[in-house]
Amino acid sequence: MRRPELDQILTTMLASQPEVSDLLFTSDRPPQVEAYGELKPVALDPPIEKLTPFQIEAIAMNIIGDNLWQIEDLLRHGSCDASYALSDQARFRVNVFSQRGNYSIVCRQLNTKIPTLDQLKLPETLKLIPREKTGLVLVTGATGSGKSTTLAAILSEINRDKAVHIVTLEDPVEYLHVHDRATFNQREMGIDFDSYANGLRAALRQAPKVILVGEMRDQETVKIALSAAETGHLVLSTLHTINAGETVNRILGMFEPEEQEQIRIRLSDSLRWVVSQRLCPRISGGRHALIEIMGSNLRTQEAIRLGESEGKTFYEIIEASYTFGWRHFDHACLESYEHGLITEDNALLYCTKRSVVSRGIDNQKKARGEVTTDLSALRMRSGGQSGGSGEKPPTLKFK
């Protein structure tokens, strides 16, 4: 297989469904695309009913090319990350990995145009993040929850408003930023640096005002990021955590108990925002972003330093700061349900505390005059238990 043939296959797959997010190549399965969270096979010409290991390996080698770093990573660790451009039509973040002795490939389609925070319809509070001058900002969530897109929109806001130097460390480079007021230097792991820790350490000597670290993967990266945040840089990064409280606990869990007290102090002083994301199916089709936002105040700093306690959990702190634009996932679910964006079932599925959201949905239904319970099926026996005659006691029906 040659590159023009691969480009033709990718073009056909992208055109097969609206809103394609991922392209999958797996042995003994046809080429597949993911659209609106569901996998669908793609009919090619000539048809490929089942991909062979040889075909997938040929696709992988075309994507990787002569990048020795990625080839070594694949052979040594069983997977590698790469990027691939389909002319001017699309760009992909690619992961090639081994499974049962054969290779599989997942290509995540990247937007060629960087969306704004307004276009993403994210909460207005997020517009405060580009105004920060120093500190640590974390965007968290599961793989595919839109973390990179949110960070790209934040950087785009900074690019438009501030004449600063921005260095990004990515694996691989996803969104290509065009110089506006800011100057961008985008570095890719495996080509421009060998690890996030080394790339971040070098970035401190490159006079940036803003640093993007693709992911906080180890304690060394966290330590250097905290040092950068403490010395006048704005550091943006991601973590694979489910909410704001878990984000703090995950960072602390990277360190030994004897180190945690110092890290707690440094993190409480440096952390500015934690933004967590979940993508939920939208009633009208597509997916809707549910956003949890936690900022920094005296209560969050105390909870980071001393740990959570009764009445002082991160959930309760966010709850108390709702009027300042903070929100937890339960707020996001209830607001999205109220505006008719998501169903009741999905609101209960993607929330943090089902009892809170269920009660909130009932209150919304009552305010609209809808029935929240069905009492017509209730029955009540009269006269106690039935006697030995076998007669069925009378029942009373509530109307």
Side-chain angles (χ1 to χ4, degrees):
M1 180 182 294
R2 304 191 177 203
R3 181 157 182 159
E5 296 174 276
L6 173 60
D7 288 354
Q8 180 60 40
I9 291 174
L10 297 178
T11 301
T12 303
M13 294 177 71
L14 288 177
S16 65
Q17 298 287 337
E19 300 296 330
V20 171
S21 61
D22 296 279
L23 284 62
L24 281 77
F25 301 92
T26 301
S27 295
D28 295 326
R29 297 287 287 172
Q32 296 172 293
V33 297
E34 181 175 330
Y36 300 129
E38 183 178 347
L39 285 178
K40 298 179 181 179
V42 178
L44 300 177
D45 186 20
I48 300 179
E49 295 183 1
K50 291 184 179 181
L51 287 161
T52 66
F54 177 78
Q55 289 172 320
I56 295 176
E57 188 170 340
I59 294 172
M61 291 303 102
N62 271 283
I63 292 173
I64 295 174
D66 58 356
N67 190 313
L68 297 180
W69 169 275
Q70 293 170 354
I71 294 174
E72 182 181 357
D73 206 23
L74 178 61
L75 296 176
R76 179 172 295 180
H77 301 114
S79 67
C80 73
D81 293 309
S83 58
Y84 189 81
L86 184 59
S87 301
D88 295 330
Q89 181 180 353
R91 294 183 66 252
F92 301 95
R93 181 183 69 199
V94 184
N95 185 266
V96 182
F97 59 97
S98 176
Q99 59 94 24
R100 294 190 301 168
N102 298 321
Y103 291 122
S104 290
I105 304 170
V106 177
C107 304
R108 164 64 53 85
Q109 184 181 8
L110 304 173
N111 290 329
T112 53
K113 184 178 180 181
I114 300 173
T116 65
L117 292 173
D118 289 331
Q119 289 171 339
L120 293 174
K121 298 181 180 179
L122 297 177
E124 289 291 315
T125 310
L126 293 189
K127 292 184 179 180
L128 298 175
I129 296 178
R131 302 177 192 172
E132 298 285 353
K133 292 187 178 297
T134 64
L136 179 63
V137 176
L138 298 174
V139 179
T140 77
T143 301
S145 59
K147 300 186 296 296
S148 299
T149 303
T150 299
L151 283 172
I154 291 172
L155 288 178
S156 182
E157 293 280 334
I158 298 173
N159 188 21
R160 187 188 64 191
D161 298 333
K162 297 181 180 180
V164 295
H165 180 204
I166 301 174
V167 173
T168 72
L169 308 171
E170 303 174 72
D171 183 22
V173 170
E174 299 190 18
Y175 289 90
L176 297 177
H177 292 269
V178 178
H179 307 298
D180 191 354
R181 291 199 65 195
T183 297
F184 271 89
N185 279 295
Q186 296 185 255
R187 308 185 69 205
E188 183 168 321
M189 183 182 288
I191 299 176
D192 304 309
F193 64 97
D194 61 354
S195 70
Y196 279 127
N198 289 336
L200 185 52
R201 190 178 290 109
L204 296 179
R205 300 190 294 271
Q206 293 157 6
K209 289 293 185 289
V210 181
I211 305 172
L212 169 68
V213 184
E215 184 182 347
M216 296 285 195
R217 291 182 177 175
D218 51 60
Q219 62 172 252
E220 187 179 6
T221 304
V222 172
K223 283 183 177 179
I224 302 172
L226 288 174
S227 296
E230 292 165 345
T231 53
H233 303 83
L234 177 61
V235 181
L236 310 173
S237 190
T238 70
L239 273 173
H240 290 88
T241 53
I242 59 174
N243 56 39
E246 180 63 27
T247 300
V248 174
N249 296 330
R250 174 69 62 83
I251 291 175
L252 296 174
M254 294 181 182
F255 297 88
E256 299 297 327
E258 57 269 18
E259 294 181 279
Q260 287 186 7
E261 183 175 355
Q262 182 187 15
I263 296 300
R264 283 181 181 274
I265 295 172
R266 297 178 66 188
L267 185 62
S268 67
D269 292 337
S270 300
L271 189 63
R272 297 291 182 268
W273 296 94
V274 179
V275 179
S276 298
Q277 302 188 178
R278 297 174 185 173
L279 289 184
C280 174
R282 187 193 296 264
I283 291 177
S284 59
R287 289 183 289 181
H288 173 67
L290 301 172
I291 306 293
E292 178 171 284
I293 304 172
M294 183 179 77
S296 176
N297 62 16
L298 292 176
R299 293 190 68 193
T300 56
Q301 291 172 11
E302 181 184 10
I304 294 172
R305 282 194 179 102
L306 304 178
E308 295 178 280
S309 59
E310 186 176 352
K312 296 180 180 180
T313 65
F314 291 112
Y315 183 94
E316 291 165 321
I317 293 170
I318 296 172
E319 177 91 31
S321 299
Y322 179 74
T323 54
F324 298 101
W326 301 15
R327 62 175 63 196
H328 47 56
F329 281 119
D330 294 348
H331 288 139
C333 288
L334 286 171
E335 289 176 6
S336 299
Y337 172 76
E338 184 178 9
H339 292 108
L341 299 174
I342 64 176
T343 64
E344 178 179 348
D345 289 341
N346 281 328
L348 294 172
L349 181 63
Y350 286 85
C351 67
T352 300
K353 295 185 177 182
R354 290 177 62 93
S355 59
V356 172
V357 174
S358 179
R359 187 164 58 248
I361 290 175
D362 285 345
N363 290 335
Q364 291 181 19
K365 288 181 176 179
K366 289 177 183 176
R368 296 196 296 259
E370 298 179 15
V371 177
T372 58
T373 57
D374 184 9
L375 298 178
S376 62
L378 293 179
R379 302 287 189 275
M380 184 176 72
R381 289 181 177 181
S382 64
Q385 300 292 330
S386 60
S389 62
E391 295 181 359
K392 186 176 180 180
T395 60
L396 295 177
K397 177 187 288 188
F398 287 103
K399 294 185 179 179

